[in-house]
């Protein structure tokens, strides 16, 4: 566990009004506490027929139905995990692709059990609406559960050549997805505060405004900045670094160096293994300082390594490299050079690279499924599917992201702020799609928000005579949601702005929006005319800011990473 910020600036959580951009479907009973028949209740949910088939045939209130659905979801997830383990016990009879896809499903089902247990503990404690932060936590977990199931299903269908596996896994997964959707919908009806779905950006005190604007000179002393920019070699890093009333605590620190005898470890995974398990942040971050060098290893940070901060010597200095791809029989999920699921993870000054190349198609540099995670001044380098913002809540600041097809994708609630996004030269016949957001359920609080970023063709594309269409995104899943706001878009952005996935798929259910962008590619005159595309105003755009979309004022501050809370 490492450093922690203590803020004396008073912040009332009552100011952080909830944002759930997609309302529940239909009408609700006068009160979630009022008895209602399952038939009446299910009419208001996305799949009434399935809902009626799983809820008990008795009159109850929405709280009781919600707890029942979450309990059933937990039971079904445990059954599914046993099914996956049964298949894996006979892995010698399975194809390599099937084994890898099943291993993904095993990991994802284990995470889902954790999320469901945590959610049920919260829901079992009250028959009233939750506070903003707690409600967002549970909605985030229930949203991630659906994402994890979809990821498992995608991997099985794409990678497993064994038809018995595909059939044996796909049917229960399909039913489980419907069940989890019921649980999420009931949660939003019963426990989410019934306030306005649209929030205005909260008023900030002058001191909060200074922090919001990310003024490093004001809030970070030279010693604090050194943690991010060069990392002192002395054990002084273990002392409290104080910046006014704000402190970054480092509980312990290890150093990774390619040169033997220089650091504590010569590879990154060994350093991660040395971090304490299941810490709560009280004593700060466990810091892994990775010295400059090329690290050819696949790094994975498991769920029990909470509050881990990884700091390099800078972009293009500390570099992690891998070359896994779907073409080489990996799932998209496990093709990542670097993967993290541990909550409250922070990465600073590191390049993450997948060198498989455009010809190998899906090849992930970073897969991020870590809740409340932050990447600051990092570079993500690949071609198709470079950055897999998989699930939960994520923040990226002053990062460089390179790619071709769908190179920022996934179903997290993710905000990219002050980043540089560089479309590359794709293969002949391909177009560039910057985003492919994967929201599958109207009640998921997920989406991609790109704010005050620069979208500019990389040198190899800008200097090419080959004409390539570059789009802001395309809808990977039915409720795909992406907002581009206050960003600079260069001339290489296609005038239509957005591209289809397949025919008219998701064009009515997606939510794509632009607000107050600049540059030659920002002209919206010839943008697509889809029902789900919007040119929005400041009030709508504020829903997708750090404060409103991520509740970022609650958790990003402790990282000392600068950020803008609202619109800039």
């Amino acid at each position: 566990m490492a450093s922690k910020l203590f803020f004396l600036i008073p912040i009332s959580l009552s100011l952080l009004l909830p944002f759930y951009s997609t309302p529940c479907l239909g009408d609700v009973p006068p009160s979630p506490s009022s008895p209602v028949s399952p038939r009446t209740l299910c009419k208001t949910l996305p799949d009434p027929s399935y809902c009626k088939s799983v809820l008990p045939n008795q009159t109850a209130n929405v709280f009781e139905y919600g707890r029942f659905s979450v309990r059933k979801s937990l039971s079904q997830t445990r059954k599914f995990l046993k099914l996956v383990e049964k298949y894996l016990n006979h892995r010698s009879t399975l194809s390599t692709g099937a084994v890898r896809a099943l291993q993904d499903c095993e990991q994802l089902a284990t995470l889902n059990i954790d999320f469901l247990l945590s959610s049920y503990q919260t829901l079992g404690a009250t028959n009233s609406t939750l506070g903003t932060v707690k409600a967002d936590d549970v909605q985030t977990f229930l949203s991630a559960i659906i994402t994890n199931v979809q990821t498992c299903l995608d991997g099985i269908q794409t990678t497993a050549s064994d038809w018995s596996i595909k059939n044996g896994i796909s049917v229960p997964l399909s039913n489980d997805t419907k069940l989890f959707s019921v649980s999420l919908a009931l949660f939003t009806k019963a426990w989410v505060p019934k306030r306005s779905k649209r929030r205005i950006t909260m008023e900030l005190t002058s001191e909060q405004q200074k922090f919001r604007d990310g003024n490093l000179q004001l809030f970070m002393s030279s010693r604090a900045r050194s943690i991010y920019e060069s990392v002192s070699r002395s054990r002084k890093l273990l002392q409290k670094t104080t910046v006014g009333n704000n402190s970054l605590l480092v509980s312990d620190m290890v150093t990774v160096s390619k040169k033997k005898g220089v650091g504590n470890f010569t590879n990154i995974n060994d350093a991660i293994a040395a971090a304490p398990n299941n810490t709560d942040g009280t004593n700060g971050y466990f810091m892994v300082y990775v010295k400059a060098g090329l690290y050819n290893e696949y790094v994975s940070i498991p769920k029990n390594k909470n509050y881990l901060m990884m700091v390099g010597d800078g972009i293009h200095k500390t570099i992690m490299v891998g070359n896994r791809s779907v073409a080489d029989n990996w799932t998209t999920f496990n093709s990542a050079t670097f993967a993290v699921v541990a909550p409250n993870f922070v990465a600073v000054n590191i390049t993450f690279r997948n060198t498989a190349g455009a010809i190998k198609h899906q090849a992930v540099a970073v897969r991020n499924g870590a809740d409340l995670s932050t990447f600051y001044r990092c570079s993500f380098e690949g071609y198709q599917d470079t950055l897999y913002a998989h699930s939960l809540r994520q923040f990226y600041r002053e990062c460089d992201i390179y790619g071709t097809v769908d190179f920022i994708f996934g179903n997290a609630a993710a905000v990219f702020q002050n980043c540089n996004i560089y479309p590359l030269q794709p293969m002949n016949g391909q177009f560039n799609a910057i985003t492919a957001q994967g929201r599958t359920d109207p009640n998921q609080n997920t989406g991609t928000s790109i704010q005050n970023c620069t979208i500019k063709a990389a040198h190899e594309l800008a200097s090419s005579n080959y004409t390539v269409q570059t789009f802001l995104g395309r809808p990977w899943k039915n409720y795909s949601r992406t907002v581009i706001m206050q960003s600079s878009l260069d001339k290489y952005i296609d005038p239509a702005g957005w591209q289809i996935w397949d025919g008219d798929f998701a064009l009515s259910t997606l939510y794509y929006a632009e607000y107050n962008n600049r540059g030659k590619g920002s002209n919206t005159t010839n943008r697509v005319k889809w029902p789900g595309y919007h040119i929005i105003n400041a009030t709508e755009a504020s829903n997708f800011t750090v404060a409103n979309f991520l509740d970022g004022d609650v958790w990003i501050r402790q990282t000392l990473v600068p950020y803008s809370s609202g619109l800039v």
Side-chain angles (χ1 to χ4, degrees):
M1 192 73 232
S3 326
K4 185 176 181 181
L5 284 173
F6 295 93
F7 290 95
L8 298 184
I9 301 172
I11 299 176
S12 171
L13 290 181
S14 64
L15 291 174
L16 302 175
L17 301 179
F19 166 55
Y20 304 100
S21 72
T22 304
C24 300
L25 304 179
D27 298 323
V28 232
S31 163
S33 301
S34 302
V36 62
S37 71
R39 179 183 180 86
T40 300
L41 178 61
C42 288
K43 287 180 180 178
T44 70
L45 300 189
D47 190 339
S49 177
Y50 180 81
C51 173
K52 285 186 292 184
S53 73
V54 295
L55 292 185
N57 189 23
Q58 60 189 53
T59 300
N61 63 44
V62 185
F63 293 111
E64 291 165 336
Y65 285 127
R67 280 189 287 268
F68 173 87
S69 183
V70 171
R71 281 199 309 271
K72 189 173 181 66
S73 296
L74 179 59
S75 175
Q76 288 302 112
T77 303
R78 286 171 168 158
K79 288 180 182 178
F80 178 74
L81 179 58
K82 289 181 179 178
L83 175 64
V84 171
E85 290 170 342
K86 181 180 178 181
Y87 279 120
L88 286 173
N89 286 337
H90 300 89
R91 68 186 66 200
S92 61
T93 66
L94 304 177
S95 67
T96 299
V99 171
R100 288 172 175 166
L102 287 167
Q103 288 172 333
D104 291 352
C105 293
E106 182 180 39
Q107 177 184 346
L108 293 163
T110 301
L111 290 171
N112 280 356
I113 289 172
D114 291 344
F115 294 151
L116 285 163
L117 285 170
S118 175
S119 299
Y120 187 74
Q121 184 178 20
T122 300
L123 305 189
T126 180
N127 264 15
S128 60
T129 55
L130 297 170
T132 300
V133 175
K134 184 59 71 174
D136 194 50
D137 285 346
V138 177
Q139 189 173 15
T140 296
F141 296 154
L142 295 179
S143 296
I145 289 164
I146 297 174
T147 300
N148 288 346
V149 171
Q150 186 63 54
T151 302
C152 170
L153 185 60
D154 287 347
I156 291 290
Q157 292 178 340
T158 303
T159 310
S161 59
D162 315 60
W163 282 105
S164 62
I165 299 293
K166 286 187 177 183
N167 293 336
I169 293 293
S170 297
V171 172
L173 276 183
S174 177
N175 289 332
D176 288 352
T177 299
K178 294 177 183 179
L179 175 60
F180 301 152
S181 180
V182 170
S183 295
L184 177 57
L186 291 173
F187 168 76
T188 59
K189 285 185 178 294
W191 283 276
V192 172
K194 299 299 186 289
R195 300 177 185 172
S196 171
K197 300 297 187 294
R198 301 194 184 280
R199 296 191 289 190
I200 59 171
T201 303
M202 67 179 183
E203 294 297 321
L204 300 175
T205 66
S206 60
E207 286 301 302
Q208 288 172 329
Q209 186 75 24
K210 290 175 183 176
F211 192 92
R212 187 210 75 165
D213 292 337
N215 191 327
L216 281 173
Q217 297 298 324
L218 174 66
F219 277 90
M220 295 185 72
S221 68
S222 59
R223 285 183 57 208
R225 281 198 307 277
S226 72
I227 292 177
Y228 289 107
E229 296 171 2
S230 62
V231 184
S232 170
R233 297 177 183 176
S234 75
R235 302 300 288 177
K236 291 181 181 179
L237 279 171
L238 301 184
Q239 300 173 4
K240 186 190 324 186
T241 301
T242 302
V243 188
N245 294 319
N246 309 315
S247 299
L248 183 68
L249 296 178
V250 179
S251 62
D252 202 356
M253 172 187 162
V254 295
T255 299
V256 181
S257 174
K258 298 290 289 184
K259 296 180 180 179
K260 292 184 179 180
V262 173
N264 306 95
F265 301 97
T266 57
N267 70 75
I268 298 166
N269 282 308
D270 286 348
I272 293 167
N277 295 332
N278 301 315
T279 55
D280 63 3
T282 302
N283 296 319
Y285 293 91
F286 182 89
M287 182 178 288
V288 177
Y289 167 39
V290 186
K291 290 178 65 65
L294 191 67
Y295 295 84
N296 288 284
E297 60 177 303
Y298 295 94
V299 176
S300 180
I301 303 180
K303 64 180 182 178
N304 60 344
K305 300 297 180 179
N306 310 28
Y307 288 93
L308 190 146
M309 178 180 286
M310 184 173 291
V311 183
D313 277 331
I315 290 176
H316 305 313
K317 293 181 180 179
T318 297
I319 306 169
M320 300 182 200
V321 180
N323 64 357
R324 290 175 178 170
S325 68
V326 169
D328 288 332
N329 218 20
W330 297 92
T331 62
T332 302
F333 185 81
N334 61 30
S335 69
T337 300
F338 179 90
V340 56
V341 295
N344 298 95
F345 172 76
V346 181
V348 183
N349 286 348
I350 298 172
T351 290
F352 305 95
R353 183 179 296 163
N354 189 311
T355 60
I359 197 170
K360 291 296 184 75
H361 300 284
Q362 298 98 323
V364 175
V366 168
R367 170 172 50 82
N368 183 7
D371 197 23
L372 312 178
S373 56
T374 304
F375 285 77
Y376 177 48
R377 293 184 178 175
C378 291
S379 183
F380 306 87
E381 301 177 4
Y383 285 84
Q384 183 170 345
D385 290 4
T386 303
L387 174 54
Y388 196 172
H390 181 262
S391 55
L392 304 164
R393 293 163 288 193
Q394 310 178 7
F395 178 61
Y396 300 82
R397 172 82 179 201
E398 296 174 35
C399 292
D400 296 339
I401 309 160
Y402 298 82
T404 54
V405 179
D406 308 335
F407 63 96
I408 300 173
F409 75 113
N411 195 25
V415 174
F416 296 82
Q417 196 174 86
N418 293 31
C419 294
N420 298 307
I421 299 173
Y422 296 112
L424 295 169
Q425 180 75 45
M427 293 191 298
N428 287 344
Q430 287 186 327
F431 57 80
N432 286 331
I434 293 169
T435 66
Q437 207 281 329
R439 186 164 167 256
T440 61
D441 189 286
N443 286 299
Q444 287 179 308
N445 59 351
T446 55
T448 297
S449 173
I450 295 176
Q451 181 189 19
N452 199 35
C453 293
T454 297
I455 301 176
K456 180 180 180 181
H459 176 73
E460 69 170 55
L461 176 60
S463 62
S464 172
N465 293 323
Y466 178 65
T467 302
V468 176
Q469 288 180 294
T470 296
F471 299 94
L472 298 173
R474 60 180 185 150
W476 182 29
K477 302 295 182 183
N478 209 27
Y479 294 94
S480 182
R481 180 161 63 179
T482 302
V483 177
I484 314 290
M485 57 186 187
Q486 301 181 301
S487 293
S488 174
L489 315 183
D490 79 358
K491 65 181 181 180
Y492 291 91
I493 299 300
D494 190 272
W498 307 82
Q499 176 65 293
I500 63 169
W501 185 271
D502 182 18
D504 62 356
F505 171 75
L507 302 189
S508 297
T509 52
L510 61 75
Y511 182 91
Y512 285 168
E514 295 181 58
Y515 167 71
N516 199 26
N517 294 310
R518 56 195 182 273
K520 293 183 178 180
S522 66
N523 189 326
T524 58
T525 302
N526 295 311
R527 288 296 196 250
V528 295
K529 307 302 180 185
W530 306 339
Y533 171 73
H534 310 275
I535 299 171
I536 57 177
N537 59 29
T539 301
E540 294 171 299
S542 69
N543 290 326
F544 298 93
T545 59
V546 166
N548 292 344
F549 198 49
L550 299 181
D551 279 330
D553 288 326
V554 177
W555 58 274
I556 296 175
R557 288 177 170 177
Q558 67 181 339
T559 68
L560 279 186
V561 170
Y563 71 101
S564 296
S565 179
L567 297 175
V568 295

